Amino acid sequence: LTNVLKHAGPNSRAEVRIRANERTVTIQVEDNGVGKTQLPGAGHGIAGMRERAQSLGGTLDADTLPGGGFCVTARLPVAGEME
C-alpha cells in the first residue's frame, strides 16, 4: 500500500484481497492509479517484495493493468514449500 500512495497518483483507489487455503495465502493489491509507468520489477520496492516472497518459498507478480492501474499479487506457503 505504500507503493500505491507513492506512485498511483491523487484520487486513486486501492483494493486489497486476501485468500487462504490449507496450502497458500494469496495477497493481491490492485489500484486504479495513473502514476509513473515502470517495467515490472524495475523498482527496488517490487524487487525487495519479490525477494522476501521468494525467501519464504512463495512468489510475487507485479504488472500494469489493461486500462490503467497496477496489480501486485503475492502467493505465500502456509507451511513448507509451494508446489
Side-chain angles (χ1 to χ4, degrees):
L1 291 173
T2 300
N3 284 347
V4 172
L5 291 172
K6 285 182 179 179
H7 302 292
N11 302 316
S12 295
R13 294 181 46 160
E15 185 172 321
V16 178
R17 291 183 210 96
I18 301 172
R19 294 181 303 275
N21 61 36
E22 49 287 330
R23 293 179 33 156
T24 61
V25 174
T26 302
I27 305 161
Q28 185 174 57
V29 178
E30 192 173 296
D31 71 57
N32 65 346
V34 293
K36 181 179 176 185
T37 302
Q38 293 182 332
L39 294 174
H44 294 293
I46 291 171
M49 289 187 291
R50 185 171 285 123
E51 287 176 10
R52 289 189 295 276
Q54 289 172 343
S55 74
L56 296 170
T59 63
L60 184 122
D61 298 308
D63 206 348
T64 56
L65 296 169
F70 204 79
C71 182
V72 176
T73 305
R75 291 175 190 84
L76 306 172
V78 171
E81 298 275 330
M82 286 185 4
E83 293 180 13

